[in-house]
Amino acid sequence: MADAGGPYSPDTVAVVGGRPPRAPGAPVGPGIELTSTFVAPGDFAPGLPIYGRYDNATWSALESVLAALEGVDGDGGALVYASGMAAATALFSLVPRGARLVIGATSYNTVLAAARELADAGDVRLTLVDVADTDAVRAACADADWLHLESPTNPLIEVADLPAICRIAQDAAVRVSVDNTFATPLLQNPLTLGADVVLHSVTKYLSGHSDVVLGALVTADAALHGRLVHHRVTTGSIAGPFEAWLALRGVRTLPVRFARQQGTAGELARRLAGHPAVVRVRYPGLPGDPGHEVAARTMRGFGAMLAIDLADAGAARTLTERVALWVPATSLGGVESLIERRRRIPSEPEAVPEALVRLSVGLEDVEDLWSDLSAALDSLA
Ligand SMILES: Cc1ncc(COP(=O)(O)O)c(C=O)c1O
């Protein structure tokens, strides 16, 4: 019987990717492969699974969808990891010893911490750069081996001009990796712009239900893919099959979830911009946002993450205490709307204002979300 074939749009790929071959009596979706080892009589047989730290059919199903969503259809592929940070650690293992690593100055705090630790150990020389300033990135690339950036950034929601930056890096023979967690593969595909590796915290939108911690790297470079496979085998930073299965289940609905979340985020951003207790709304969908022009030109949407600046840290803290529907919690990308004053986390960089509150917009009704948020904001006056 014919398999799903293709090429299809991302909305279809999310649904049909990673399915078992279509045959009478075959399951429609992959199972959870719970085995640590595989039957293997005789000599080593290349291509056959051997051990659960090397191969797992549930990972492979998820990996094939992630690779397809990021536009990989030949060499390379995706690799899933125990967490986004396990993926980031694997990614940094690709950066040569002694190399100059340029990294977005306002990247997710633990990714920044991991890069700083490499620098402190003398493994790399580190340069921090403002990813929203393409000229600064160009200048940094003049003396760099590897550029790692996140766009939009967490939690300042700054936007990098990825097409321009990937071109600049390629011209300067600098390798590029992009953390695509906030945009998801639905809004941008850095590999198709020339980036070498894409990083995802699968924990977030891809899984989408706040019940999984998982990460992924995607590359179209066969040599880098091979090195990453080796690194995952030797470090053992593998995903659990159940988590991989849950993430794959989440990916099936990513396009519909994300469309709804993005629509609600845009509406809330507009309303928040008119609220007297809000000093600033950070959302690239707003025409006045510093990232608006670049996002409108380079992305297929503005995403579902926004941040607001209030008068001071006290107001921000009180807001997270007074909401009833929004859940005061870290993380993002799930079906439930989350709210967090980011500087409550001691490791959050000082570049993040004390009064900044990050909002991860979920699937609840927009009017319910607004009445809860606006009532809490009204109470601050
Ligand atoms: C942009 C970004 N990258 C990477 C990570 C790390 O992912 P994980 O928490 O799955 O290890 C996070 C986590 O918040 C993140 O927001």
Side-chain angles (χ1 to χ4, degrees), residues 83-85 108 111 150 154 179 181-182 201 203-204 213-214:
S83 66
M85 283 314 303
Y108 169 61
V111 169
E150 193 178 294
N154 179 8
D179 188 328
T181 300
F182 270 36
S201 171
T203 312
K204 309 300 187 320
V213 175
L214 215 63

Side-chain angles (χ1 to χ4, degrees), residues 43-81:
D43 286 337
F44 176 69
L48 281 187
I50 177 165
Y51 185 56
R53 186 162 31 77
Y54 294 68
D55 293 290
N56 180 273
T58 319
W59 309 342
S60 304
L62 174 60
E63 287 169 349
S64 69
V65 187
L66 297 183
L69 286 174
E70 285 293 6
V72 177
D73 62 1
D75 286 343
L79 293 99
V80 291
Y81 293 89

Side-chain angles (χ1 to χ4, degrees), residues 5-372:
Y8 292 122
S9 81
D11 288 12
T12 305
V13 169
V15 174
V16 305
R19 301 265 179 200
R22 190 181 292 202
V28 168
I32 309 173
E33 186 170 81
L34 292 173
T35 188
S36 61
T37 191
F38 298 84
V39 178
D43 286 337
F44 176 69
L48 281 187
I50 177 165
Y51 185 56
R53 186 162 31 77
Y54 294 68
D55 293 290
N56 180 273
T58 319
W59 309 342
S60 304
L62 174 60
E63 287 169 349
S64 69
V65 187
L66 297 183
L69 286 174
E70 285 293 6
V72 177
D73 62 1
D75 286 343
L79 293 99
V80 291
Y81 293 89
S83 66
M85 283 314 303
T89 303
L91 169 67
F92 289 151
S93 79
L94 298 173
V95 180
R97 244 171 183 275
R100 166 79 54 194
L101 170 64
V102 177
I103 184 167
T106 55
S107 304
Y108 169 61
N109 65 46
T110 316
V111 169
L112 262 186
R116 283 211 169 91
E117 277 168 27
L118 287 179
D120 291 348
D123 290 348
V124 298
R125 294 168 296 135
L126 199 61
T127 301
L128 302 184
V129 72
D130 174 357
V131 299
D133 181 346
T134 305
D135 288 336
V137 176
R138 183 182 290 106
C141 279
D143 170 35
D145 302 287
W146 197 291
L147 169 66
H148 176 73
L149 63 127
E150 193 178 294
S151 182
T153 59
N154 179 8
L156 295 178
I157 330 282
E158 302 146 317
V159 182
D161 187 339
L162 281 187
I165 289 174
C166 287
R167 250 191 329 271
I168 289 165
Q170 273 186 328
D171 290 349
V174 174
R175 295 278 206 178
V176 186
S177 48
V178 177
D179 188 328
N180 209 17
T181 300
F182 270 36
T184 85
L186 301 175
L187 299 193
Q188 62 191 12
N189 300 115
L191 300 180
T192 65
L193 301 171
D196 297 282
V197 187
V198 160
L199 166 68
H200 282 287
S201 171
V202 177
T203 312
K204 309 300 187 320
Y205 288 105
L206 294 169
S207 293
H209 295 75
S210 306
D211 52 9
V212 165
V213 175
L214 215 63
L217 295 177
V218 193
T219 178
D221 182 313
L224 291 182
H225 185 260
R227 288 172 59 194
L228 290 170
V229 168
H230 178 76
H231 181 269
R232 187 173 62 177
V233 165
T234 54
T235 57
S237 52
I238 57 171
F242 182 51
E243 284 75 9
W245 185 86
L246 279 175
L248 179 57
R249 196 174 201 269
V251 168
R252 301 297 185 212
T253 56
L254 171 70
V256 278
R257 282 188 283 108
F258 201 73
R260 158 94 167 205
Q261 288 166 302
Q262 185 168 243
T264 304
E267 182 57 33
L268 292 177
R270 279 185 290 280
R271 294 186 191 186
L272 284 163
H275 196 285
V278 176
V279 176
R280 175 176 175 187
V281 181
R282 298 168 190 258
Y283 182 67
L286 293 177
D289 188 87
H292 179 70
E293 183 275 322
V294 173
R297 178 163 49 79
T298 67
M299 294 166 65
R300 295 185 285 271
F302 300 112
M305 292 301 301
L306 55 135
I308 51 176
D309 296 28
L310 300 184
D312 52 41
R317 196 177 302 115
T318 306
L319 177 67
T320 67
E321 289 164 350
R322 292 201 179 153
V323 283
L325 176 60
W326 292 76
V327 183
T330 197
S331 200
L332 58 109
V335 296
E336 57 292 287
S337 294
L338 304 182
I339 184 167
E340 185 183 31
R341 186 178 83 84
R342 285 297 294 175
R343 283 294 296 279
R344 82 194 171 92
I345 295 177
S347 55
E348 193 70 358
E350 282 179 14
V352 177
E354 286 279 0
L356 180 139
V357 175
R358 190 184 70 186
L359 302 169
S360 170
V361 177
L363 293 181
E364 305 89 337
D365 179 77
V366 63
E367 298 305 335
D368 291 337
L369 287 171
W370 176 244
S371 21
D372 187 44

